Amino acid sequence: MADRQPFEDLYREYLGRIYAYVRAQVGTSADAEDITAQVFMNAYQAYPRFEARNTTPAAWLFRIARNATLDHFRAYGRRERLRRTIEHQPEAVEDPAGQAEERIQYQALLAHVAQLPERQRDAISLRHSGLSFEEVGKLMRCSEDAAKMLYHRAVKALRESVRMEGGA
Amino acid sequence: MSEQDEDLELQALQRQLDDAFETTRPRRGFEDELWLRMQSSRPARSRIRDAWAGFWQGIRAVPAVPAAAVAVAMVVVIGVVLVGYSGILRPGGMSSTTGGSALNAAPNNRYAGDFGRLPSPVFPGQKSAGANGSNPTAPLAASDYAGPAQLTWTGHLDVAFTIAPVFRYQEPSTNTADQFASSLGAPLHGRPQGFLGMYETSDYTLKVRGTVASPPSSPAYFIFSNLSMAPIQAAGAGPADLASVFLAEHSLVPQWDYTTVVDSSGDPIKVFYQRELALPGGTSAYLVNTNGDRYGLEVDLSNNRPVLVSGMLPVNMDSATYQIISSDQAVRAALGSSQPVPVAGTAAPAVVLTQAELVYVLVPAGDHSFYEPAFMFSGTVKINGSTLTKRVLVPAVDPSQRTP
């Protein structure tokens, strides 16, 4: 407890990464903001109980983010997400104000990530948010090796998705 | 495609993914907005705990400090914590006065201490400094009486404390207004005279205004819906619930303590969120205008559709404690405030003041304005067969700590 870094340091360090992770899961920057806010609100409440010896701050925060994202999909159902996927509704139509300010490159690539099956999407998002395969495995309740395999399958699926789009 | 080419392609894709995740960041301002929201949602006890943690860290950082010096420092810090946080050291704590108390002020303002001599509030019927006439007042309700009266007091006023916090805020700028509008996703449309900004979305027009000096009025925002604003869908919900749904959907739920009051007597139905400010001893006081009407935020609903939302613009505030006058002094000041009868030979109606409470009033003062405590006395009077309410406001901060 005594050596724990102030929560604000954690917040400043991880806000961007958590946002990127959530943003890759959900369709709009508005949803990403709401979920990110929920993540850090929850983390803020739970920080006094955080045990650094049991897990890293990154894994702890990403676990909260993952749960919040799953809650989001549970709450709103996948209907809306599927609709966006089917219609390929561009972000700009949904969220012009957010898009104008959001700092995001490779938007099309992230849109492809968002369309992957849930576990593949999760593996790519967690891995490229800076987590080790061991941490990804723990979060996804599988072994490190299984996390690696899942990730590599996800990247190949992503490549196929990008290829199909390019060929369409 | 050879296996090697495939590997290269996958590696390139992974590099793009790295870039994609590294460059995906929230919009400007989101980080600070969220941090402020988190701060405002903190329980009071955790804020105090942090203050202690900071204190102990400070001691650990200077191990050579003799024990006696540490003991002296502790006494000082305890004093600062008790005074600075006097508004929250009460049973249950103050749940939220976001952007409205010292607790939410920037760290360097947390122990702002004395603001110096405060400007005096000027109430209806009193002469303002340097002015000859009476002060403009906010529009009176039909049931209020603001005329001269012969005042007597039969109530009981017992204030258990001798100090009360005074809150101060910096006058909001166009930047403040733009940030607020941005948080709602409302792009700037222009800056009409008298407003910090006007913003438009497909559903509504937002106008943001700074402090108004006369009659005193807090920085505020106004949301005027247009015809595309849909009714709020919430089966079985009453007006207060509908208003809350709308506010929640637009991240406008007040971050300060409030009491909700619904006026369903007409169309639109009005839902009021009356702002309260924390006082020592676990009590709170309403924020009132110069007529004594409580205010904070109002949502007007017509057929479940929000037609107007007007609320206090969130501003950061710091606080300092000031000595206040005694109950007896307050009663004497109230009774002494009887206004002269405008026509000689006519008698002012007799008003028996029966109730009194501590309230807060806005005192505009240029770059920085204040919310200062005041005593509000009230009683009823019959005028032409109608029962009207007479209110008398008296500044509560000790005159020695105010400018004349």
Side-chain angles (χ1 to χ4, degrees):
Chain A
M1 176 75 184
D3 297 330
R4 179 183 301 171
Q5 67 184 123
F7 186 82
E8 184 171 2
D9 292 354
L10 214 61
Y11 172 76
R12 305 283 178 196
E13 184 179 347
Y14 286 100
L15 176 71
R17 285 169 60 186
I18 293 288
Y19 176 85
Y21 164 75
V22 174
R23 181 65 179 77
Q25 311 282 310
V26 299
T28 69
S29 55
D31 284 346
E33 279 194 7
D34 287 348
I35 296 169
T36 303
Q38 193 59 53
V39 169
F40 281 98
M41 290 281 194
N42 292 347
Y44 202 23
Q45 300 287 329
Y47 195 52
R49 300 188 298 279
F50 169 67
E51 295 285 348
R53 64 175 176 272
N54 293 340
T55 183
T56 62
W60 178 68
L61 280 173
F62 276 96
R63 181 181 299 282
I64 296 172
R66 187 165 182 267
N67 289 337
T69 308
L70 291 174
D71 284 347
H72 168 79
F73 284 126
R74 272 197 288 269
Y76 295 99
R78 296 178 64 86
R79 189 182 47 151
E80 180 65 8
R81 186 165 170 270
L82 281 171
R83 183 184 67 78
R84 288 177 197 159
T85 304
I86 292 163
E87 294 176 2
H88 289 277
Q89 190 170 354
E91 169 93 2
V93 174
E94 295 177 20
D95 190 15
Q99 194 203 25
E101 290 206 40
E102 193 182 34
R103 286 173 280 158
I104 180 168
Q105 294 177 23
Y106 301 101
Q107 190 167 340
L109 183 59
L110 285 191
H112 281 287
V113 173
Q115 290 168 31
L116 291 173
E118 185 176 301
R119 283 181 69 79
Q120 290 187 353
R121 187 182 72 234
D122 219 9
I124 284 184
S125 302
L126 290 170
R127 176 63 179 154
H128 287 279
S129 295
L131 296 190
S132 66
F133 280 119
E134 185 187 357
E135 288 172 322
V136 174
K138 276 185 181 166
L139 281 176
M140 300 188 69
R141 294 198 170 93
C142 62
S143 68
E144 184 178 347
D145 287 343
K148 278 182 190 170
M149 283 178 59
L150 180 61
Y151 167 77
H152 286 297
R153 273 203 300 271
V155 173
K156 284 183 179 174
L158 178 66
R159 184 192 56 185
E160 292 309 311
S161 171
V162 172
R163 273 183 184 168
M164 281 175 65
E165 173 96 347
Chain B
M1 183 179 282
S2 70
E3 198 169 313
Q4 191 180 7
D5 288 342
E6 269 201 28
D7 283 347
L8 287 173
E9 193 181 4
L10 287 174
Q11 284 171 20
L13 185 57
Q14 286 171 314
R15 280 196 297 276
Q16 283 184 32
L17 282 167
D18 276 336
D19 287 345
F21 278 84
E22 289 221 346
T23 56
T24 299
R25 291 296 180 262
R27 64 182 163 77
R28 279 190 307 277
F30 176 70
E31 182 174 340
D32 290 334
E33 283 168 24
L34 177 55
W35 182 248
L36 278 176
R37 279 171 61 191
M38 290 162 61
Q39 289 298 295
S40 62
S41 69
R42 297 172 70 194
R45 61 181 178 277
S46 72
R47 290 185 280 227
I48 295 171
R49 189 172 57 231
D50 279 3
W52 277 110
F55 169 64
W56 286 113
Q57 270 186 342
I59 291 176
R60 280 208 308 274
V62 193
V65 175
V70 170
V72 170
M74 278 188 70
V75 171
V76 172
V77 169
I78 290 169
V80 168
V81 167
L82 288 178
V83 171
Y85 287 86
S86 58
I88 61 168
L89 291 178
R90 57 180 175 146
M94 180 74 173
S95 63
S96 63
T97 48
T98 300
S101 78
L103 307 176
N104 305 308
N108 56 343
N109 289 333
R110 187 164 288 172
Y111 304 111
D114 199 330
F115 296 146
R117 281 162 72 91
L118 297 169
S120 292
V122 181
F123 299 122
Q126 297 178 347
K127 285 190 174 180
S128 57
N132 292 325
S134 292
N135 296 291
T137 64
L140 275 173
S143 58
D144 288 342
Y145 174 69
Q150 295 176 334
L151 301 170
T152 53
W153 166 247
T154 61
H156 176 70
L157 176 61
D158 184 15
V159 180
F161 42 88
T162 57
I163 58 167
V166 168
F167 300 93
R168 181 178 67 171
Y169 67 87
Q170 187 173 8
E171 184 59 25
S173 63
T174 52
N175 195 35
T176 313
D178 290 351
Q179 283 181 4
F180 174 73
S182 173
S183 71
L184 301 183
L188 179 66
H189 187 73
R191 301 201 191 276
Q193 193 173 9
F195 290 90
L196 296 171
M198 182 170 83
Y199 312 82
E200 288 200 346
T201 73
S202 57
D203 289 341
Y204 60 81
T205 298
L206 165 72
K207 287 186 175 180
V208 179
R209 188 202 65 197
T211 307
V212 175
S214 182
S217 191
S218 299
Y221 66 85
F222 307 88
I223 290 176
F224 306 90
S225 68
N226 56 34
L227 292 175
S228 64
M229 174 77 82
I232 302 162
Q233 303 294 340
D241 299 322
L242 295 173
S244 294
V245 168
F246 177 83
L247 295 176
E249 284 176 347
H250 294 78
S251 302
L252 287 171
V253 176
Q255 299 296 302
W256 24 263
D257 281 0
Y258 58 83
T259 300
T260 308
V261 174
V262 178
D263 176 4
S264 305
S265 60
D267 185 15
I269 294 171
K270 295 174 185 288
V271 182
F272 300 99
Y273 295 74
Q274 298 171 341
R275 182 166 186 171
E276 298 172 51
L277 294 161
L279 288 175
T283 56
S284 61
Y286 285 104
L287 185 59
V288 302
N289 65 16
T290 51
N291 293 332
D293 297 322
R294 298 169 183 174
Y295 70 97
L297 191 157
E298 177 183 331
V299 180
D300 294 358
L301 298 162
S302 183
N303 295 322
N304 292 358
R305 193 173 149 270
V307 290
L308 171 66
V309 179
S310 55
M312 296 176 68
L313 183 68
V315 290
N316 287 324
M317 296 207 281
D318 50 8
S319 73
T321 48
Y322 278 81
Q323 189 180 347
I324 62 171
I325 59 177
S326 67
S327 305
D328 288 344
Q329 287 173 303
V331 171
R332 282 199 298 274
L335 297 181
S337 70
S338 299
Q339 296 157 250
V341 180
V343 181
T346 59
V351 176
V352 180
L353 301 172
T354 56
Q355 293 181 319
E357 64 179 308
L358 200 65
V359 294
Y360 272 83
V361 293
L362 170 67
V363 186
D367 285 348
H368 289 84
S369 295
F370 301 87
Y371 290 109
E372 297 182 18
F375 288 101
M376 184 168 75
F377 294 80
S378 59
T380 56
V381 57
K382 279 219 165 195
I383 307 277
N384 299 328
S386 300
T387 302
L388 305 178
T389 300
K390 170 75 176 174
R391 293 187 185 123
V392 176
L393 284 158
V394 173
V397 173
D398 191 277
S400 67
Q401 298 182 51
R402 291 189 277 114
T403 53

